[in-house]
Amino acid sequence: MAVRCGIVGLPGVGKSVLFNAMTKGSAASGSFLFCTTSATTGVVDVPDIRLLKLAEIVNPQKIVHAAQEFVDIPGLVRGSSKCEGLGNSFLTDIRDMNAIVQVVRCFENPDIPHAEATLDSVRDIEIVDMELVIKDMEVLEKSLERHQKTARSGNKESQTMVATLEKLLATLNNGKWVSTVELDKDELFSLKSYCLLTQKPMLLVGNIDEKDIPNPSANPHYAALEKAAAEKGIPVIPICAKLEADLTQMEPDDQAMFMEEAGLTEPSLTRLIRASFALLNLQTYFTAGPKEVRAWTIPTGATAPQAAGVIHSDFERGFIRAKVISFDDFVACNGEHGAKEAGKQRQEGKNYIVKDSDVVEFLFNV
């Protein structure tokens, strides 16, 4: 499963620079507003040193990383929900995303204009928040009107929906996200088709200057963003998008030296990808054989049959059992044969909850 993350924010915050650095893409970027005028998609491999360690032992024909899809979405301005700027283009694109990565400008640069004329990280995230809230309100208000008509005729399903929609609209009217509302299993299912913007998990990225990398919190704009994120319960990470873009153009040796000088132990983009996985409560398991060593993405808490279904629906439907070796045991025993000899390979049934980094072989029959 390729996770789709929409990169959003005001014009001029560095979204496209960050997108190009992550995907080695060519989304338009420049020192003027609305440089990006349409959504651009790029797929990246999820960096995982564990996968490379497995490959050293198995020596497969190929290595397949887990995939992450990022979409650079046109910038919005105050009033986008009412078609200001690029208007509903921005909001429509977000509906298909699994998560939102909001880039917030925390660097000063007089050569790059700001949509609001001045730099204020907290104000900027509030603008994005409000546009998403307003758009969701429009969707729910139309739905409420439809369900109220059928509810008056005695339709019990519509009566239940009216109660749910009124609860959500009351929350949105207070400027809060749908994700802050406690919903039961049935309510969550009934809202799935709405693809509500404020129900999606969000990660904030503070786009800082290179000089701020050693101590991002010393930057007052990023410090204010951190405080606001903590109050909202939203994760936030600092990234210098310009530096990351420069790193992608360098040879590996130069890249390592440049990162050391900047105070980075790894590319910040690696941290961003890990953070987006954590945001969506995802984890990775592995299959390892002579043809390929491969990482598979599954939700945390997935059962063995559900994990098998990510490979192919037949695997889930005809699941018999799973042969499981922990990653640490696989490496310590130098592979599957050594793990078997040491009694480290387990036979697990349908109720087994697959753990992050398990090395698994599925047995099935259809």
Side-chain angles (χ1 to χ4, degrees), residues 303-342:
T303 63
Q306 290 169 336
V310 173
I311 299 176
H312 197 287
S313 57
D314 285 350
F315 283 32
E316 181 173 7
R317 187 167 62 252
F319 178 88
I320 298 173
R321 66 181 181 275
K323 297 179 180 180
V324 182
I325 305 169
S326 74
F327 170 80
D328 289 340
D329 287 338
F330 194 98
V331 173
C333 298
N334 200 38
E336 181 180 0
H337 180 73
K340 283 181 181 177
E341 291 291 315

Side-chain angles (χ1 to χ4, degrees), residues 8 32 43 65 72 101 107 197 203 214 223 231 239 259 290 295 318 322 353:
V8 307
F32 56 91
V43 179
H65 291 257
D72 183 22
V101 176
F107 66 89
L197 305 175
L203 169 68
E231 291 171 353
I239 289 181
M259 283 196 301
I353 304 298

Side-chain angles (χ1 to χ4, degrees), residues 161-222:
M161 277 302 297
V162 166
T164 300
L165 294 172
E166 287 178 341
K167 176 169 60 175
L168 298 184
L169 281 167
T171 299
L172 292 170
N173 268 312
N174 287 326
K176 295 183 179 179
W177 281 37
V178 167
S179 58
T180 64
V181 182
E182 288 190 18
L183 299 168
D184 61 34
K185 186 177 179 180
D186 291 336
E187 288 175 319
L188 288 170
F189 181 79
S190 67
L191 293 170
K192 192 172 182 180
S193 63
Y194 288 74
C195 297
L196 295 172
L197 305 175
T198 62
Q199 200 173 15
K200 298 181 185 297
M202 177 181 280
L203 169 68
L204 294 173
V205 172
N207 190 4
I208 59 175
D209 195 272
E210 185 178 336
K211 64 180 174 57
D212 298 319
I213 290 174
N215 184 14
S217 297
N219 175 328
H221 303 296
Y222 184 74

Side-chain angles (χ1 to χ4, degrees), residues 289-308:
K291 289 188 176 180
E292 69 174 27
V293 166
R294 184 164 186 155
W296 301 90
T297 303
I298 57 172
T300 301
T303 63
Q306 290 169 336

